[in-house]
């Protein structure tokens, strides 16, 4: 059934407007009303904005590969659509042609967001989800606050879910379920309703991305390499005459010191006989959380002692761009099954 036919069903609240949260809202809005809550001015302007923009058709684990195939199919369909602004630059992935692509990741996010918006998605910006409101162990609402301050200011009627009164909207949003898609924000994984010690199951990871300027005589056909060593990943062709080398490290999110950067560059030069100029002034550090056993947590938390109606999509370990839409379908299936079990929507 379409979201508009959901009647008086309170919305599903999705907390986090990054690539994963936007994908979850996009998939769920086809079936139920959704409110997407974003702390910034617009979805995608947090950590998602800093992504390199490498899309992979396979990530290296059966679960993640299934997620990646879903995102890949959507992106390719957008690429082929004459009215879509999204275009892919296809690349080799570990020697396999056409299995990776360079993409404007914000256009990919926008494609999902705009489709969801047309279907009735409501967006709250500059707003933070503070905690679920529980009746017993069941989510019945979400407490929100103005990001960086106290309770949020009153929103225009157009930004409130259809069918819900003005009262209570300033600090509590009625909700049939809450999906947390926090990206690299472990504090969101420690709020009320989550299992004890849940946040401690996630590990900080970072990519230290170092651009290298290549000699003019070197050709750079589009290619992505993920299996050259335990920590190093490479991309050619995103920028002309530039090799992007990313060291994937875990344990903390602190940017490397100058001495640590020099050590990383020396390791690259010695290990791969690299003849290129490191552009240390353009180094950037990307951050995320890695989930339990190296996989994202995608699903309900009730089986682990959390509240019913509370779901988490987190711990993507910097592979959220490639796996977002597949993970979103998995979360949506779990949410809709929960709502059907409660007879809030027809059984699926």
């Amino acid at each position: 059934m379409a979201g508009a036919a959901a009647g008086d069903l309170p919305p599903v609240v999705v907390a986090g407007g990054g690539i994963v949260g936007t994908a979850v809202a996009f998939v769920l809005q086809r079936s139920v009303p959704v409110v997407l809550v974003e702390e910034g001015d617009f979805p995608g302007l947090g950590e998602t904005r800093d992504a390199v923009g490498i899309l992979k058709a396979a990530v290296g684990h059966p679960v993640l590969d299934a997620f990646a195939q879903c995102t890949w199919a959507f992106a390719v369909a957008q690429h082929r659509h004459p009215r879509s602004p999204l275009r892919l630059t296809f690349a080799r992935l570990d020697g396999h042609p056409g299995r990776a692509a360079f993409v404007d990741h914000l256009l990919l996010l926008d494609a999902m967001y705009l489709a969801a918006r047309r279907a009735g998605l409501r967006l709250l910006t500059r707003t933070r989800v503070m905690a679920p409101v529980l009746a017993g162990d069941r989510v019945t609402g979400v407490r929100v606050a103005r990001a960086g301050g106290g309770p949020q200011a009153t929103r225009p009627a157009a930004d409130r879910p259809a069918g819900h009164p003005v009262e209570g909207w300033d600090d509590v949003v009625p909700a049939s379920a809450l999906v947390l898609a926090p990206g690299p924000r472990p504090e969101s994984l420690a709020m009320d309703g989550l299992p004890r010690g849940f946040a401690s199951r996630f590990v900080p990871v970072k990519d230290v991305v170092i651009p290298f300027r290549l000699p003019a005589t070197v050709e750079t056909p589009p290619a992505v390499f993920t299996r050259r060593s335990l920590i190093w990943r490479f991309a050619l062709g995103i920028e002309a005459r530039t090799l992007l080398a990313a060291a994937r490290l875990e344990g903390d999110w602190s940017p490397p010191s100058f001495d640590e950067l020099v050590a990383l560059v020396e390791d690259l030069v010695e290990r791969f006989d690299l003849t290129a100029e490191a552009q240390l002034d353009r180094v950037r550090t990307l951050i995320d959380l890695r989930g339990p056993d190296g996989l994202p947590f995608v699903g309900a938390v009730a089986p682990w002692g959390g509240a019913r109606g509370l779901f988490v999509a987190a711990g993507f370990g910097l592979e959220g761009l490639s796996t977002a839409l597949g993970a979103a379908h998995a979360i949506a299936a779990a949410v809709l099954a929960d709502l059907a079990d409660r007879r809030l929507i027809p059984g699926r």
Side-chain angles (χ1 to χ4, degrees):
M1 73 181 173
D8 294 329
L9 176 72
V12 175
V13 173
V14 178
I19 189 70
V20 174
T22 302
V24 171
F26 164 64
V27 176
L28 276 171
Q29 185 62 52
R30 301 171 182 176
S31 303
V32 292
V34 178
V35 173
L36 178 62
V37 181
E38 163 57 32
E39 292 191 26
D41 292 325
F42 195 78
L45 299 185
E47 279 73 21
T48 294
R49 174 171 54 184
D50 296 328
V52 174
I54 298 174
L55 195 66
K56 304 169 191 170
V59 181
H61 183 282
V63 172
L64 298 181
D65 288 351
F67 288 172
Q69 279 294 308
C70 188
T71 313
W72 180 263
F74 176 82
V76 170
Q78 289 289 312
H79 169 78
R80 292 173 176 169
H81 196 291
R83 289 188 291 178
S84 171
L86 185 72
R87 293 295 178 263
L88 306 178
T89 300
F90 291 98
R92 287 180 172 269
L93 176 62
D94 296 319
H96 300 286
R99 301 294 288 165
F102 305 141
V103 60
D104 184 328
H105 47 288
L106 294 183
L107 285 180
L108 180 64
L109 181 148
D110 285 350
M112 293 185 284
Y113 170 73
L114 293 174
R117 189 78 177 188
R118 287 193 294 269
L121 174 72
R122 298 292 182 180
L123 173 67
L124 280 180
T125 59
R126 302 183 184 179
T127 304
R128 178 182 299 117
V129 168
M130 305 303 293
V133 176
L134 304 177
D137 66 346
R138 164 67 66 181
V139 171
T140 60
V142 176
R143 188 168 298 280
V144 297
R146 185 74 171 173
Q152 69 174 81
T154 302
R155 293 278 171 175
D159 283 340
R160 302 186 191 107
H164 291 281
V166 173
E167 292 78 6
W169 180 250
D170 289 346
D171 58 356
V172 173
V173 180
S176 58
L178 170 61
V179 179
L180 300 177
R185 299 185 182 181
E187 67 275 9
S188 297
L189 300 175
M191 67 173 58
D192 293 344
L194 289 164
R196 185 183 300 273
F198 186 69
S200 65
R201 302 176 66 187
F202 295 80
V203 177
V205 295
K206 63 187 177 186
D207 271 1
V208 179
V209 183
I210 308 172
F212 285 83
R213 190 68 170 169
L214 299 171
T217 55
V218 175
E219 294 185 7
T220 56
V224 177
F225 303 94
T226 65
R227 301 173 184 172
R228 295 297 300 274
S229 75
L230 292 177
I231 69 166
W232 288 109
R233 292 160 172 80
F234 303 95
L236 284 166
I238 295 180
E239 303 176 33
R241 293 178 52 204
T242 300
L243 169 72
L244 293 184
R248 184 154 297 180
L249 309 170
E250 66 178 49
D252 70 78
W253 287 330
S254 58
S257 67
F258 180 78
D259 289 342
E260 289 169 331
L261 273 180
V262 170
L264 287 172
V265 170
E266 289 177 345
D267 177 69
L268 271 172
V269 171
E270 293 174 5
R271 187 179 304 191
F272 300 105
D273 194 24
L274 185 62
T275 56
E277 178 186 356
Q279 298 179 302
L280 297 185
D281 59 326
R282 297 182 56 216
V283 170
R284 51 180 166 159
T285 302
L286 313 180
I287 64 172
D288 200 0
L289 292 168
R290 178 176 60 76
D293 301 318
L295 295 174
F297 186 101
V298 177
V301 298
W304 285 267
R308 293 182 295 164
L310 181 55
F311 303 81
V312 171
F316 289 84
L318 290 161
E319 297 293 354
L321 180 61
S322 292
T323 58
L325 196 50
H329 279 282
I331 280 282
V335 171
L336 296 176
D338 177 69
L339 297 179
D341 287 344
R342 296 164 58 197
R343 299 185 179 180
L344 296 178
I345 62 173
R348 301 175 66 85

